[in-house]
């Protein structure tokens, strides 16, 4: 079950000719999108909500006042960004730890709409034109685009930035650009990007949203250097005061060239966005209680259930509430590093997974606030359920000889314990699996043929993870696995993640409502298993998985995408590359009552720091004016 899968001629022929060919041949990107026509936006499946003359997005207050400061704890990050510390201001390379939200200092060709699953609209680009073969995208730039020093942002900057990322950028950037064969400046206001024909429709959406850096700046400065010098930007914010590892401030750029564009109207309302860095969660929570931090999303169930009883909340100065989660797939799971021989056998991975007692954890540690995760695409239509559909079987059949029989049945579910914290039946199943995998009991622990113990080192970066993992570790030791927890600081944690220097690690990952081939490859593709800095923590290397990721990239409709991802989910859940843990349906948020915002929140994002605004009257009432 854990071995390599190979495509054989026999399994391909079992499909019966035409169906197999349809499943494996590449499809044309943007098959439903008009060509040789100037377009104001793009969607993977040609579905745009907003017309060319739209004035602003529907989820914003177009007349929101500007001003005030939000000091917030970022709930998410990208590229090399860290929540706990930073030692560089360059987020666009693998080296170093940078602060979240540096992306607000840069513009991109296009930006996403947060109330659509995959639509992007022009920012630097006024329009985009697709060639007849749908492999070349010509962007007409807005002539008013400017860098913060007043110099024009031109096609030369965009060409330079994309080529730079392809060669030296963070792996999430360079991998998305691998299908780009050429980037050319037709003139100062026109960029032509050419792709190989192997790219998916979603690929250009990722490329069009990449932050653009200055050619002049990075010709004079080393792009790969870890530096605290803020680079030249063009976006709605400019780097303000910075203290390495302590705080960063982003100041709204008053002369921002794009402030009145439809894609920006009603957004970026705070004069200052500040992020403070804390080494542990309790210190960060105390800062919020004192009012130093204004907005906080709570990720610790115990604190949410018992910690919000401080004076500011009981006085009504702080609001505690939940906001709906995004309508996109969510994955929180543990990876066992299959680059290490003891985890290659799926029976070992399954035995370790059986030692996680969700029912006990839910009652004892989570205060009943989480749901049990089963899928790599939880909370979405991409989650596999029931028997495979005929469409799913068309993708899976070529690999029948190599895939476990379970893939073609009901998708596997994680066990339900008796909630005692020591379910003998389930732990007995784990012992049986280890024995079947060839491990033998020698005294207290299982050992291999050489007498080496079955060891698992759990990597953790803070006290909250140690508290979560300790019962899991104890159950592993109960059945004979030599399990330990190693807590390291943020810098070591990031480095060990990037170098795949771990046994057992937890990841929470969201890949968007319309997962792209690039975002899927980061997690699942064989190619990413050997590239430092990717998120294929288990080291998955499977031709079947690779083929299903490619099928998702070839999808020409949402129905085809759903089919491919359901089939992928079946394979991943049977292989148990990722052990699903738990998920939270909503955002648990607390904030000082000094903000205005539009309700309901958009379905595909919740960046409060750019959606909300400072409300002077509310702030005055709570003494925060």
């Amino acid at each position: 079950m854990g071995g390599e899968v190979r495509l054989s001629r026999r399994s391909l022929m079992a499909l019966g000719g035409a169906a197999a060919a349809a499943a494996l041949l590449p499809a044309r990107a943007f098959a439903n999108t008009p060509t040789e026509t100037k377009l104001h936006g793009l969607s993977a499946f040609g579905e745009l909500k907003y017309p060319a003359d739209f004035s602003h997005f529907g989820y914003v207050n177009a007349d929101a006042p500007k001003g005030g400061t939000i000091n917030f704890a970022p709930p998410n990050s990208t590229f090399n960004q860290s929540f706990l510390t930073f030692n560089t201001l360059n987020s666009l390379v693998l080296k170093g730890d940078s602060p979240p939200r540096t992306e607000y200092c840069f513009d991109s060709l296009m930006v996403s709409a947060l109330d659509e699953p995959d639509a992007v609209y022009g920012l630097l680009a006024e329009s985009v034109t697709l060639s007849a073969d749908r492999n070349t995208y010509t962007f007409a730039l807005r002539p008013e685009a400017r860098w913060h020093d007043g110099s024009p942002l031109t096609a030369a900057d965009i060409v330079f930035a994309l080529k730079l990322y392809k060669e030296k950028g963070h792996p999430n950037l360079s991998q998305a650009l691998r299908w780009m064969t050429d980037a050319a400046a037709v003139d100062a206001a026109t960029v032509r990007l050419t792709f190989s024909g192997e790219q998916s429709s979603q690929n250009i959406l990722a490329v069009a949203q990449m932050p653009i850096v200055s050619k002049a700046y990075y010709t004079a400065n080393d792009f790969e250097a870890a530096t605290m010098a803020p680079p030249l930007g063009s976006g709605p914010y400019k780097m303000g005061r910075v203290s390495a590892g302590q705080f960063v401030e982003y100041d709204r750029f008053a002369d921002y060239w794009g402030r009145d564009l439809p894609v920006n109207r009603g957004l970026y309302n705070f004069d200052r966005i500040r992020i403070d860095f804390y080494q542990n969660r309790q210190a960060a929570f105390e800062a919020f209680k004192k009012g130093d931090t204004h907005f906080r999303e709570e990720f610790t169930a115990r604190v949410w259930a018992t910690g919000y009883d401080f004076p500011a909340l009981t006085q009504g100065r702080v609001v505690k509430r939940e906001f709906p989660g995004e309508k996109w797939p969510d994955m929180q799971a543990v990876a066992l590093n299959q680059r290490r021989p003891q985890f290659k056998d799926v029976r070992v991975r399954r035995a370790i997974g059986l030692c996680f007692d969700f029912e006990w954890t839910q009652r004892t540690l989570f205060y009943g606030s989480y749901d049990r995760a089963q899928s790599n695409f939880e909370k979405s239509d991409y989650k596999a359920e029931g028997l495979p559909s005929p469409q799913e079987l068309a993708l899976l059949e070529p690999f029948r000889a190599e895939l476990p029989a379970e893939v073609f049945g009901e998708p596997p579910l994680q066990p339900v314990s008796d909630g005692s914290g020591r379910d003998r039946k389930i732990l007995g199943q784990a012992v049986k699996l280890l024995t079947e995998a060839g491990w033998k009991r020698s005294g207290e622990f299982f050992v291999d043929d050489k007498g080496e113990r079955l060891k698992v080192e759990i990597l953790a970066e803070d006290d909250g993870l140690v508290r979560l993992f300790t019962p899991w570790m104890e159950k592993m030791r109960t059945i004979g696995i030599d399990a330990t927890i190693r807590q390291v600081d943020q810098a070591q944690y990031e480095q060990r993640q990037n170098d795949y220097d771990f046994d057992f690690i937890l990841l929470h990952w969201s890949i968007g409502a319309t997962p792209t081939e690039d975002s899927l490859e980061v997690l699942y593709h064989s190619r990413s298993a050997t590239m430092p800095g990717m998120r294929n923590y288990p080291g998955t290397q499977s031709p079947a998985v690779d083929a299903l990721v490619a099928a998702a990239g070839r999808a020409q409709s949402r129905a085809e995408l759903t089919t491919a991802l359901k089939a992928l989910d079946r394979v991943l859940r049977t292989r148990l590359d990722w052990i699903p843990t738990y998920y939270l349906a909503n955002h648990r948020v607390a904030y000082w009552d000094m903000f205005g915002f539009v309700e309901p929140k958009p379905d595909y994002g919740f960046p409060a720091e750019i959606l909300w605004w400072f409300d002077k009257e509310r702030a005055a009432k709570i003494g925060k004016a």
Side-chain angles (χ1 to χ4, degrees):
M1 292 175 70
E4 183 176 282
V5 180
R6 291 185 175 86
L7 178 62
S8 69
R9 178 174 176 82
R10 178 179 177 183
S11 57
L12 176 63
M13 294 301 292
L15 251 180
L24 298 174
L25 287 174
R28 300 175 75 193
F30 287 105
N32 300 318
T33 302
T35 61
E36 309 297 349
T37 302
K38 288 188 175 183
L39 305 171
H40 70 289
L42 290 172
S43 167
F45 305 125
E47 303 158 353
L48 291 176
K49 175 179 179 178
Y50 295 98
D53 60 350
F54 81 102
S55 61
H56 59 83
F57 291 131
Y59 49 83
V60 305
N61 173 7
D63 300 316
K66 307 293 185 184
T69 295
I70 184 171
N71 185 322
F72 87 117
N76 49 42
S77 64
T78 187
F79 304 133
N80 70 357
Q81 296 173 358
S82 168
F83 299 116
L84 302 181
T85 188
F86 66 98
N87 49 37
T88 179
L89 297 181
N90 184 0
S91 296
L92 302 174
V93 294
L94 182 59
K95 183 180 180 180
D97 300 303
S98 70
R101 304 307 183 261
T102 57
E103 60 270 22
Y104 293 162
C105 298
F106 302 97
D107 285 319
S108 53
L109 285 167
M110 308 183 89
V111 293
S112 62
L114 299 182
D115 56 351
E116 297 179 80
D118 62 18
V120 295
Y121 296 87
L123 175 54
L124 287 171
E126 190 171 40
S127 67
V128 57
T129 303
L130 279 65
S131 63
D133 65 3
R134 293 174 170 83
N135 290 329
T136 299
Y137 304 84
T138 302
F139 294 90
L141 306 184
R142 300 183 192 273
E144 63 269 33
R146 290 289 183 275
W147 295 102
H148 289 156
D149 64 1
S151 61
L153 193 163
T154 70
D157 292 302
I158 293 165
V159 170
F160 173 84
L162 297 182
K163 288 184 175 180
L164 183 66
Y165 299 158
K166 185 172 182 178
E167 180 184 358
K168 299 179 179 180
H170 189 280
N172 288 357
L173 294 167
S174 61
Q175 281 301 287
L177 287 163
R178 69 188 182 280
W179 307 125
M180 187 183 77
T181 57
D182 189 37
V186 178
D187 54 44
T190 310
V191 174
R192 185 176 62 234
L193 305 182
T194 303
F195 292 77
S196 66
E198 300 175 79
Q199 78 284 358
S200 68
S201 299
Q202 298 100 311
N203 180 254
I204 187 60
L205 305 184
V207 173
Q209 294 180 81
M210 290 181 178
I212 299 301
V213 295
S214 163
K215 178 180 180 180
Y217 182 85
Y218 278 117
T219 298
N221 295 276
D222 181 4
F223 175 67
E224 295 180 284
T227 174
M228 295 302 296
L232 179 64
S234 64
Y237 285 93
K238 185 177 182 180
M239 197 73 68
R241 295 194 306 150
V242 174
S243 179
Q246 296 183 23
F247 72 85
V248 60
E249 293 181 348
Y250 301 101
D251 296 333
R252 188 167 61 86
F253 191 63
D255 294 328
Y256 173 44
W257 72 272
R259 61 184 177 273
D260 295 322
L261 292 177
V263 293
N264 288 330
R265 195 166 294 136
L267 297 169
Y268 309 109
N269 301 310
F270 294 104
D271 280 348
R272 178 170 294 116
I273 297 173
R274 178 179 169 114
I275 301 170
D276 289 318
F277 293 78
Y278 300 91
Q279 288 300 309
N280 63 70
R281 297 188 185 193
Q282 188 58 40
F285 185 46
E286 293 300 324
F288 174 75
K289 289 161 65 175
K290 289 192 301 181
D292 294 340
T293 303
H294 305 142
F295 176 97
R296 169 184 172 86
E297 186 165 353
E298 185 57 67
F299 295 102
T300 303
R302 175 183 55 81
V303 175
W304 186 251
T306 66
Y308 285 82
D309 57 356
F310 50 93
L313 190 136
T314 57
Q315 295 163 5
R317 300 166 66 205
V318 168
V319 178
K320 176 192 177 192
R321 61 169 288 188
E322 294 190 12
F323 290 86
E326 282 66 62
K327 294 181 178 179
W328 59 37
D330 185 273
M331 183 186 84
Q332 180 150 299
V334 159
L336 291 167
N337 190 351
Q338 295 170 45
R339 300 169 187 84
R340 301 188 171 174
Q342 67 266 38
F343 305 124
K344 287 184 178 295
D345 193 312
V346 70
R347 292 170 293 191
V348 173
R349 303 196 293 273
R350 197 171 303 282
I352 292 171
L354 288 172
C355 293
F356 175 54
D357 190 333
F358 172 77
E359 285 66 34
W360 180 88
T361 305
Q362 170 80 320
R363 174 174 55 83
T364 308
L365 299 181
F366 290 166
Y367 296 84
S369 60
Y370 288 94
D371 293 308
R372 182 61 156 119
Q374 301 287 352
S375 167
N376 290 258
F377 307 112
E378 205 62 67
K379 300 196 304 184
S380 77
D381 293 337
Y382 309 136
K383 178 179 178 179
E385 295 179 310
L387 295 173
S389 68
Q391 293 81 10
E392 291 173 66
L393 287 173
L395 294 173
L396 294 169
E397 283 288 359
F399 303 95
R400 181 178 281 275
E402 291 81 8
L403 287 173
E406 295 92 327
V407 169
F408 299 89
E410 299 269 351
L413 298 175
Q414 299 303 306
V416 177
S417 79
D418 61 13
S420 66
R422 189 179 286 269
D423 188 317
R424 292 181 178 275
K425 181 179 179 180
I426 288 178
L427 294 179
Q429 293 172 5
V431 170
K432 182 180 178 183
L433 285 166
L434 293 177
T435 302
E436 291 174 352
W439 294 88
K440 297 179 177 63
R441 196 67 179 256
S442 175
E444 188 179 352
F445 297 106
F446 277 102
V447 298
D448 62 15
D449 292 339
K450 298 178 180 178
E452 297 289 334
R453 290 180 183 178
L454 174 53
K455 293 184 177 182
V456 178
E457 182 186 82
I458 299 171
L459 192 64
E461 62 179 325
D462 61 36
D463 295 339
L465 287 179
V466 171
R467 188 165 50 251
L468 169 67
F469 289 146
T470 296
W472 199 338
M473 175 198 71
E474 291 172 346
K475 290 177 183 62
M476 281 192 268
R477 294 188 71 86
T478 295
I479 68 167
I481 299 173
D482 186 4
T484 56
I485 296 175
R486 178 177 291 251
Q487 185 175 356
V488 298
D489 62 31
Q490 177 67 18
Q492 292 182 65
Y493 192 83
E494 291 290 336
Q495 188 62 50
R496 291 184 66 172
Q497 279 189 123
N498 290 338
D499 294 341
Y500 308 121
D501 181 18
F502 57 82
D503 291 345
F504 174 120
I505 199 168
L506 180 72
L507 176 69
H508 178 227
W509 192 258
S510 297
I511 54 177
T514 306
T516 67
E517 185 174 2
D518 305 307
S519 64
L520 292 168
E521 287 198 359
V522 166
L523 288 166
Y524 307 124
H525 200 281
S526 300
R527 186 183 298 110
S528 64
T530 56
M531 294 183 61
M534 303 299 272
R535 294 295 183 262
N536 186 348
Y537 293 153
T540 303
Q541 291 185 289
S542 162
V545 171
D546 296 349
L548 293 169
V549 166
R554 291 193 305 270
Q556 295 298 301
S557 68
R558 194 161 298 281
E560 289 183 9
L561 178 65
T562 300
T563 294
L565 293 179
K566 282 185 173 182
L568 176 61
D569 192 36
R570 292 179 189 279
V571 174
L572 292 170
R573 287 164 67 175
T574 305
R575 286 175 53 93
L576 208 66
D577 290 300
W578 296 89
I579 301 172
T581 54
Y582 53 90
Y583 69 92
L584 188 65
N586 298 319
H587 294 279
R588 297 183 301 212
V589 169
Y591 56 91
W592 286 75
D593 193 11
M594 51 192 279
F595 304 116
F597 50 86
V598 174
E599 294 204 72
K601 63 169 281 294
D603 289 335
Y604 301 106
F606 188 40
E609 71 276 13
I610 67 170
L611 290 172
W612 291 15
W613 62 89
F614 183 74
D615 188 316
K616 290 184 178 180
E617 292 184 9
R618 286 182 177 273
K621 289 179 181 178
I622 66 168
K624 287 285 188 179

